[in-house]
């Protein structure tokens, strides 16, 4: 069965068919962090969601090119540079490094490319020049360059592809900045912001004059540079739909005349303790705040992955405690399977498919339906119940345990929660166990017993069962 995803562009669940004629390569762009502070748990929901999409596409055999930009030039960054009296690169570098560290803590696969806006100024300028040439952007009296939505629509282009917009009211609620007084229409947005005294020494020369790029244009310039004028997937939080993503579409399609992105995926908001996160309510958490409370990245990842990406999710500390319990159940079961199946080489047994032992097919069917994660977790926990039952009743063979573990590894390549096992066997112990088996086979019982004693001295016992030997930690 093929993967189906909810495409914000069509407002419907659609079959996922990559642009690549072979159906293998997938270009995926996710709007990255603005590096002026530590990312909060709401941001992390989006990045864990992007990681799930990427891992699942890889599970299904796609060759994914995952791009995530780093916004390292923006109003809040300039303010931070001014207030901290730190050079731009040093200021943003600190938060960028923290972001990448947090990404690792949550076991997210690192994007293949992480372009920085400040390292793509020539590409951004070239894109703006193209938009001016095409008559959909103009230089205003204040030296800034704006995108004209009216002229863009006048060319027959559609602004408001992701969201049905009321053009009379559009952006009326947005604060009109004093440095944007020169634009022709309130709906227009800045592509290039002319240098102002508050910018200090943060500016770049350009054909339009000294200044810096707007936020929206960097995503168009960098995504198209790496993934081409048209690509498969664009992800982000739903708060980015308007204006950021609408503006990305307008800039990109306005410049190339080609459809920009085939599938737009948006993750829903996160509430914390039932309310919108805010510093004054005391429910504003960065990942680091939660780690300081004693929770682990693994528990946080598990909780963030427990709800469907299009549902508003209520993140609570109680939920994190529940995550710990659920993970312990997984760890205990997988640990026991490892104990039982540890010495079996699976080889030939791969030929027999045992669905009750190998739930990855069912797991995949659940995720194929627009990443229905609750159904996928149900498959996992049903399987754990079944495995525990078989283990308790002592009728799970070493071979079956090994088969079950292989299936779990496939599932966990998507979930990325890992499984700690109390009975993780060190290579040295495994080597001794193998040497003992060889000695027994050669009827060298003296040596076999000596190895058994050596293992015991290292706190491992070896038990001979009709199905082979089992290692156990004392
Ligand atoms: Zn973006």
């Amino acid at each position: 069965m093929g993967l189906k995803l909810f495409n914000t562009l069509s407002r419907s669940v659609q079959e996922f068919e990559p642009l690549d004629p072979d159906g293998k390569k997938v270009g995926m762009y996710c709007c990255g962090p603005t590096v002026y502070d530590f990312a909060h748990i709401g941001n992390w929901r989006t990045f864990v969601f992007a990681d799930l999409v990427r891992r699942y596409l890889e599970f299904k055999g796609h060759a994914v090119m995952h791009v995530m930009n780093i916004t390292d030039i923006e109003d809040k960054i300039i303010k931070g540079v001014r207030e901290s009296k730190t050079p731009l690169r040093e200021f943003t570098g600190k938060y960028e490094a923290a972001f990448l560290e947090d990404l690792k803590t949550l076991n997210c696969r690192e994007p293949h490319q992480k372009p920085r806006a400040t390292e793509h100024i020539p590409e951004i300028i070239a894109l703006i020049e193209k938009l001016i040439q095409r008559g959909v952007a103009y230089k205003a009296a204040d030296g800034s360059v704006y995108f004209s939505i009216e002229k863009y629509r006048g060319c027959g282009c559609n602004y408001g592809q992701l969201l049905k917009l009321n053009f009379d009211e559009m952006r009326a609620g947005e604060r009109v900045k004093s440095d944007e007084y020169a634009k022709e229409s309130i709906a227009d947005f800045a592509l290039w912001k002319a240098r102002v005294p508050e910018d200090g020494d943060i500016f770049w020369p350009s054909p339009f004059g000294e200044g810096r790029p707007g936020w929206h244009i960097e995503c168009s310039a960098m995504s198209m540079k790496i993934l081409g004028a048209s690509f498969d997937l664009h992800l982000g939080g739903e708060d980015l739909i308007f204006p950021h993503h609408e503006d990305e579409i307008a800039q990109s399609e306005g410049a190339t005349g080609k459809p920009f992105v085939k599938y737009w995926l948006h993750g829903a908001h996160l509430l914390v303790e039932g309310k919108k996160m805010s510093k004054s309510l005391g429910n504003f958490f960065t990942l680091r705040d939660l780690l300081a409370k004693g929770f682990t990245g693994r528990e946080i990842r598990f909780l963030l992955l427990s709800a469907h990406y299009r549902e508003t999710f209520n993140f609570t500390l109680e939920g994190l405690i529940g995550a710990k319990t659920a993970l312990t159940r997984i760890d205990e079961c997988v640990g026991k399977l490892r104990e039982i199946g540890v010495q079996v080489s699976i080889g030939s047994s791969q030929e027999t498919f045992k669905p009750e032992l190998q739930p990855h097919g069912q797991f995949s069917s659940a995720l194929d339906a627009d990443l229905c994660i609750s159904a996928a977790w149900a498959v996992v926990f049903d399987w754990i119940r079944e495995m525990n039952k078989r283990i308790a009743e002592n009728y799970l063979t070493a071979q079956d345990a090994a088969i079950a573990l292989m299936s779990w590894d496939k599932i966990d390549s998507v979930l990325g929660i890992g499984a700690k096992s109390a009975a993780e066997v060190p290579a040295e112990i495994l080597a001794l166990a193998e040497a003992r088996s060889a000695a027994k086979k050669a009827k060298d019982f003296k040596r076999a017993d000596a190895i058994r004693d050596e293992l015991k001295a290292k706190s491992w016992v070896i038990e001979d069962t009709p199905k082979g030997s089992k290692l156990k930690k004392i």
Side-chain angles (χ1 to χ4, degrees), residues 45 48 52 270 298-309 311 313-316 319-320 322-323 326 371-378 381 415 417:
R45 183 182 190 194
V48 169
L52 174 73
L270 183 84
R298 194 171 171 244
E299 289 153 10
I300 297 162
R301 180 180 173 94
F302 178 90
L303 188 57
L304 289 175
L305 278 178
S306 62
H308 189 257
Y309 74 98
E311 268 168 30
F313 178 58
N314 185 20
F315 187 95
T316 62
L320 279 176
L371 305 171
C372 187
I373 196 84
S374 54
W377 281 118
F381 284 104
L415 297 174
I417 54 163

Side-chain angles (χ1 to χ4, degrees), residues 29-32 69 71 215-216 218-220 234-235 240 244-245 248:
Y29 186 90
C30 182
C31 293
N69 66 306
T71 299
W215 171 37
H216 314 308
E218 69 171 87
C219 280
S220 286
H234 195 312
L235 285 84
L240 295 188
H244 185 57
H245 289 162
E248 277 190 45

Side-chain angles (χ1 to χ4, degrees), residues 75 126 271 301 323 407 440:
D75 292 351
L271 297 174
R301 180 180 173 94
S407 185
K440 265 180 74 183

